[in-house]
Amino acid sequence: MGAWRDARLRLPREDIDRPEDRGCLQWVLGVPLALVYVPAVFLCYATLAMQPEPYGDRVREEIRFAAGLSLCFCLLGLLITITPLFRRTLGRWWFALPLLLATVAYVRAQTA
């Protein structure tokens, strides 16, 4: 058993997380996240660009709705990122964008 163990340790190990395969896999897994974050960025920008009128509540309600929808997209992106396959392949910086967008959308919804 000792010789078999030594031979097993000397053989190159096939692993799913090889560094040379990680680049392509990051691009493939990043596409669904980009498809979720593009509407979130657009809605967040739209909420920041809208200016509520001092006497009308309609625009304020539209800002709050768009901010809530942006928060939903950010939550969906976070749920996708938390899955083990994504978490093992992608870096921690993928958590930064949805957290930043969610914070901006939440603050805008509260200040509208």
Side-chain angles (χ1 to χ4, degrees), residues 39-41 43-44 47 65-75 101-102 105:
V41 168
L43 287 169
C44 193
T47 59
F65 177 76
L69 199 56
S70 179
L71 279 169
C72 290
F73 278 119
C74 291
L75 179 64
L101 284 174

PDB file of all heavy atoms in Angstrom, residues 39-41 43-44 47 65-75 101-102 105:
ATOM      1  N   PRO A  39     -29.814  45.471 -16.317  1.00  0.00           N
ATOM      2  CA  PRO A  39     -31.054  46.179 -15.950  1.00  0.00           C
ATOM      3  C   PRO A  39     -30.973  46.853 -14.580  1.00  0.00           C
ATOM      4  O   PRO A  39     -31.562  47.921 -14.373  1.00  0.00           O
ATOM      5  CB  PRO A  39     -32.122  45.084 -15.940  1.00  0.00           C
ATOM      6  CG  PRO A  39     -31.544  43.932 -16.628  1.00  0.00           C
ATOM      7  CD  PRO A  39     -30.067  44.059 -16.549  1.00  0.00           C
ATOM      8  N   ALA A  40     -30.240  46.245 -13.654  1.00  0.00           N
ATOM      9  CA  ALA A  40     -30.105  46.853 -12.328  1.00  0.00           C
ATOM     10  C   ALA A  40     -29.369  48.187 -12.421  1.00  0.00           C
ATOM     11  O   ALA A  40     -29.769  49.166 -11.782  1.00  0.00           O
ATOM     12  CB  ALA A  40     -29.377  45.902 -11.384  1.00  0.00           C
ATOM     13  N   VAL A  41     -28.325  48.245 -13.228  1.00  0.00           N
ATOM     14  CA  VAL A  41     -27.577  49.501 -13.405  1.00  0.00           C
ATOM     15  C   VAL A  41     -28.456  50.537 -14.100  1.00  0.00           C
ATOM     16  O   VAL A  41     -28.480  51.714 -13.712  1.00  0.00           O
ATOM     17  CB  VAL A  41     -26.277  49.245 -14.201  1.00  0.00           C
ATOM     18  CG1 VAL A  41     -25.640  50.544 -14.642  1.00  0.00           C
ATOM     19  CG2 VAL A  41     -25.308  48.434 -13.376  1.00  0.00           C
ATOM     20  N   LEU A  43     -31.771  50.768 -14.140  1.00  0.00           N
ATOM     21  CA  LEU A  43     -32.817  51.245 -13.232  1.00  0.00           C
ATOM     22  C   LEU A  43     -32.248  52.143 -12.140  1.00  0.00           C
ATOM     23  O   LEU A  43     -32.868  53.140 -11.752  1.00  0.00           O
ATOM     24  CB  LEU A  43     -33.557  50.062 -12.613  1.00  0.00           C
ATOM     25  CG  LEU A  43     -34.494  49.322 -13.556  1.00  0.00           C
ATOM     26  CD1 LEU A  43     -34.958  48.028 -12.918  1.00  0.00           C
ATOM     27  CD2 LEU A  43     -35.665  50.195 -13.929  1.00  0.00           C
ATOM     28  N   CYS A  44     -31.061  51.806 -11.658  1.00  0.00           N
ATOM     29  CA  CYS A  44     -30.431  52.643 -10.637  1.00  0.00           C
ATOM     30  C   CYS A  44     -30.084  54.020 -11.216  1.00  0.00           C
ATOM     31  O   CYS A  44     -30.302  55.042 -10.573  1.00  0.00           O
ATOM     32  CB  CYS A  44     -29.190  51.936 -10.107  1.00  0.00           C
ATOM     33  SG  CYS A  44     -28.531  52.674  -8.621  1.00  0.00           S
ATOM     34  N   THR A  47     -33.310  56.021 -11.598  1.00  0.00           N
ATOM     35  CA  THR A  47     -33.809  56.595 -10.339  1.00  0.00           C
ATOM     36  C   THR A  47     -32.996  57.812  -9.922  1.00  0.00           C
ATOM     37  O   THR A  47     -33.541  58.747  -9.335  1.00  0.00           O
ATOM     38  CB  THR A  47     -33.786  55.563  -9.209  1.00  0.00           C
ATOM     39  OG1 THR A  47     -32.459  55.090  -9.018  1.00  0.00           O
ATOM     40  CG2 THR A  47     -34.714  54.410  -9.502  1.00  0.00           C
ATOM     41  N   PHE A  65     -40.605  52.654  -7.137  1.00  0.00           N
ATOM     42  CA  PHE A  65     -40.828  51.388  -7.831  1.00  0.00           C
ATOM     43  C   PHE A  65     -39.577  50.953  -8.592  1.00  0.00           C
ATOM     44  O   PHE A  65     -39.175  49.785  -8.528  1.00  0.00           O
ATOM     45  CB  PHE A  65     -42.016  51.513  -8.795  1.00  0.00           C
ATOM     46  CG  PHE A  65     -42.253  50.270  -9.585  1.00  0.00           C
ATOM     47  CD1 PHE A  65     -42.847  49.166  -8.997  1.00  0.00           C
ATOM     48  CD2 PHE A  65     -41.879  50.196 -10.916  1.00  0.00           C
ATOM     49  CE1 PHE A  65     -43.060  48.005  -9.724  1.00  0.00           C
ATOM     50  CE2 PHE A  65     -42.081  49.047 -11.646  1.00  0.00           C
ATOM     51  CZ  PHE A  65     -42.674  47.946 -11.051  1.00  0.00           C
ATOM     52  N   ALA A  66     -38.944  51.886  -9.325  1.00  0.00           N
ATOM     53  CA  ALA A  66     -37.733  51.552 -10.078  1.00  0.00           C
ATOM     54  C   ALA A  66     -36.588  51.158  -9.132  1.00  0.00           C
ATOM     55  O   ALA A  66     -35.824  50.239  -9.419  1.00  0.00           O
ATOM     56  CB  ALA A  66     -37.313  52.724 -10.960  1.00  0.00           C
ATOM     57  N   ALA A  67     -36.494  51.826  -8.004  1.00  0.00           N
ATOM     58  CA  ALA A  67     -35.459  51.473  -7.025  1.00  0.00           C
ATOM     59  C   ALA A  67     -35.721  50.092  -6.433  1.00  0.00           C
ATOM     60  O   ALA A  67     -34.799  49.310  -6.239  1.00  0.00           O
ATOM     61  CB  ALA A  67     -35.394  52.521  -5.922  1.00  0.00           C
ATOM     62  N   GLY A  68     -36.975  49.786  -6.154  1.00  0.00           N
ATOM     63  CA  GLY A  68     -37.311  48.448  -5.656  1.00  0.00           C
ATOM     64  C   GLY A  68     -37.031  47.373  -6.675  1.00  0.00           C
ATOM     65  O   GLY A  68     -36.545  46.287  -6.340  1.00  0.00           O
ATOM     66  N   LEU A  69     -37.316  47.652  -7.940  1.00  0.00           N
ATOM     67  CA  LEU A  69     -37.011  46.693  -9.009  1.00  0.00           C
ATOM     68  C   LEU A  69     -35.498  46.502  -9.150  1.00  0.00           C
ATOM     69  O   LEU A  69     -35.029  45.379  -9.353  1.00  0.00           O
ATOM     70  CB  LEU A  69     -37.628  47.179 -10.313  1.00  0.00           C
ATOM     71  CG  LEU A  69     -37.828  46.171 -11.424  1.00  0.00           C
ATOM     72  CD1 LEU A  69     -38.660  45.005 -10.939  1.00  0.00           C
ATOM     73  CD2 LEU A  69     -38.501  46.841 -12.604  1.00  0.00           C
ATOM     74  N   SER A  70     -34.749  47.576  -9.013  1.00  0.00           N
ATOM     75  CA  SER A  70     -33.288  47.472  -9.040  1.00  0.00           C
ATOM     76  C   SER A  70     -32.781  46.633  -7.863  1.00  0.00           C
ATOM     77  O   SER A  70     -31.858  45.833  -8.015  1.00  0.00           O
ATOM     78  CB  SER A  70     -32.659  48.867  -9.005  1.00  0.00           C
ATOM     79  OG  SER A  70     -31.263  48.792  -9.012  1.00  0.00           O
ATOM     80  N   LEU A  71     -33.393  46.814  -6.699  1.00  0.00           N
ATOM     81  CA  LEU A  71     -33.033  45.988  -5.539  1.00  0.00           C
ATOM     82  C   LEU A  71     -33.328  44.510  -5.798  1.00  0.00           C
ATOM     83  O   LEU A  71     -32.543  43.644  -5.400  1.00  0.00           O
ATOM     84  CB  LEU A  71     -33.794  46.451  -4.304  1.00  0.00           C
ATOM     85  CG  LEU A  71     -33.229  47.651  -3.573  1.00  0.00           C
ATOM     86  CD1 LEU A  71     -34.227  48.146  -2.539  1.00  0.00           C
ATOM     87  CD2 LEU A  71     -31.925  47.310  -2.930  1.00  0.00           C
ATOM     88  N   CYS A  72     -34.430  44.220  -6.471  1.00  0.00           N
ATOM     89  CA  CYS A  72     -34.754  42.820  -6.798  1.00  0.00           C
ATOM     90  C   CYS A  72     -33.724  42.221  -7.742  1.00  0.00           C
ATOM     91  O   CYS A  72     -33.307  41.065  -7.572  1.00  0.00           O
ATOM     92  CB  CYS A  72     -36.143  42.732  -7.405  1.00  0.00           C
ATOM     93  SG  CYS A  72     -37.463  43.052  -6.244  1.00  0.00           S
ATOM     94  N   PHE A  73     -33.307  42.981  -8.753  1.00  0.00           N
ATOM     95  CA  PHE A  73     -32.272  42.494  -9.661  1.00  0.00           C
ATOM     96  C   PHE A  73     -30.950  42.263  -8.924  1.00  0.00           C
ATOM     97  O   PHE A  73     -30.245  41.290  -9.180  1.00  0.00           O
ATOM     98  CB  PHE A  73     -32.056  43.461 -10.827  1.00  0.00           C
ATOM     99  CG  PHE A  73     -33.043  43.298 -11.945  1.00  0.00           C
ATOM    100  CD1 PHE A  73     -33.873  44.332 -12.300  1.00  0.00           C
ATOM    101  CD2 PHE A  73     -33.139  42.107 -12.639  1.00  0.00           C
ATOM    102  CE1 PHE A  73     -34.786  44.191 -13.321  1.00  0.00           C
ATOM    103  CE2 PHE A  73     -34.044  41.953 -13.669  1.00  0.00           C
ATOM    104  CZ  PHE A  73     -34.880  43.002 -14.011  1.00  0.00           C
ATOM    105  N   CYS A  74     -30.616  43.158  -8.013  1.00  0.00           N
ATOM    106  CA  CYS A  74     -29.388  42.987  -7.231  1.00  0.00           C
ATOM    107  C   CYS A  74     -29.468  41.750  -6.343  1.00  0.00           C
ATOM    108  O   CYS A  74     -28.492  41.006  -6.210  1.00  0.00           O
ATOM    109  CB  CYS A  74     -29.127  44.223  -6.386  1.00  0.00           C
ATOM    110  SG  CYS A  74     -28.664  45.667  -7.338  1.00  0.00           S
ATOM    111  N   LEU A  75     -30.619  41.513  -5.743  1.00  0.00           N
ATOM    112  CA  LEU A  75     -30.806  40.315  -4.925  1.00  0.00           C
ATOM    113  C   LEU A  75     -30.693  39.058  -5.767  1.00  0.00           C
ATOM    114  O   LEU A  75     -30.061  38.078  -5.348  1.00  0.00           O
ATOM    115  CB  LEU A  75     -32.164  40.371  -4.218  1.00  0.00           C
ATOM    116  CG  LEU A  75     -32.495  39.164  -3.338  1.00  0.00           C
ATOM    117  CD1 LEU A  75     -31.508  39.072  -2.177  1.00  0.00           C
ATOM    118  CD2 LEU A  75     -33.909  39.262  -2.823  1.00  0.00           C
ATOM    119  N   LEU A 101     -24.884  48.771  -5.858  1.00  0.00           N
ATOM    120  CA  LEU A 101     -26.118  49.163  -6.532  1.00  0.00           C
ATOM    121  C   LEU A 101     -27.318  49.114  -5.592  1.00  0.00           C
ATOM    122  O   LEU A 101     -28.180  49.994  -5.621  1.00  0.00           O
ATOM    123  CB  LEU A 101     -26.376  48.259  -7.734  1.00  0.00           C
ATOM    124  CG  LEU A 101     -25.531  48.515  -8.971  1.00  0.00           C
ATOM    125  CD1 LEU A 101     -25.808  47.451 -10.012  1.00  0.00           C
ATOM    126  CD2 LEU A 101     -25.791  49.887  -9.531  1.00  0.00           C
ATOM    127  N   ALA A 102     -27.389  48.080  -4.775  1.00  0.00           N
ATOM    128  CA  ALA A 102     -28.503  47.958  -3.835  1.00  0.00           C
ATOM    129  C   ALA A 102     -28.482  49.096  -2.824  1.00  0.00           C
ATOM    130  O   ALA A 102     -29.539  49.632  -2.466  1.00  0.00           O
ATOM    131  CB  ALA A 102     -28.447  46.608  -3.127  1.00  0.00           C
ATOM    132  N   ALA A 105     -29.667  52.273  -4.668  1.00  0.00           N
ATOM    133  CA  ALA A 105     -31.108  52.215  -4.944  1.00  0.00           C
ATOM    134  C   ALA A 105     -31.920  52.387  -3.661  1.00  0.00           C
ATOM    135  O   ALA A 105     -32.948  53.082  -3.668  1.00  0.00           O
ATOM    136  CB  ALA A 105     -31.446  50.887  -5.623  1.00  0.00           C
TER     137      ALA A 105
END
